[in-house]
Amino acid sequence: QVQLVESGGGLVQAGGSLRLSCAASGSMSSFNVMGWYQQAVMGWYRQAPGEQRELVANIAPGGSRKYAESVKGRFTISRDNANNMLYLQMNSLKPEDTAVYFCTGNRVFDKTYWGQGTQVTVFS
């Protein structure tokens, strides 16, 4: 099993920045978790109150990235394959970015793992 743990959420004024982190670990040996991570598409989703969960950004093992239109030019997703870490740099934050942000990861033909989420609140 893989465990994903997010950190870095918080309260920030509109126009500010936050950096979310996600650490992958698990009950498998360190080698297996690293192997899983290096093959996994990693991503960030978010869910605002009363809204459906939506994709914010994802990044493939080779580094190709996909972003939601609403965050393009403001958010940057990155990964550190040597340390099983995923990041989301969020700049120019807006109140509508307020949500719980979830880290996800999956390999082809494998289950999708989710973190427990970290709250981001942007006030104007």
Side-chain angles (χ1 to χ4, degrees), residues 34 37-38 79-85:
M34 181 172 288
Y37 187 85
Q38 291 178 346
R79 63 191 295 162
D80 178 354
N81 288 342
N83 293 294
N84 304 336
M85 293 294 296

Side-chain angles (χ1 to χ4, degrees), residues 33-64:
V33 170
M34 181 172 288
W36 174 88
Y37 187 85
Q38 291 178 346
Q39 297 173 36
V41 175
M42 300 299 297
W44 291 96
Y45 280 73
R46 68 185 181 187
Q47 187 167 21
E51 301 290 332
Q52 290 189 338
R53 196 170 292 189
E54 63 173 357
L55 175 68
V56 175
N58 64 25
I59 182 168
S64 61

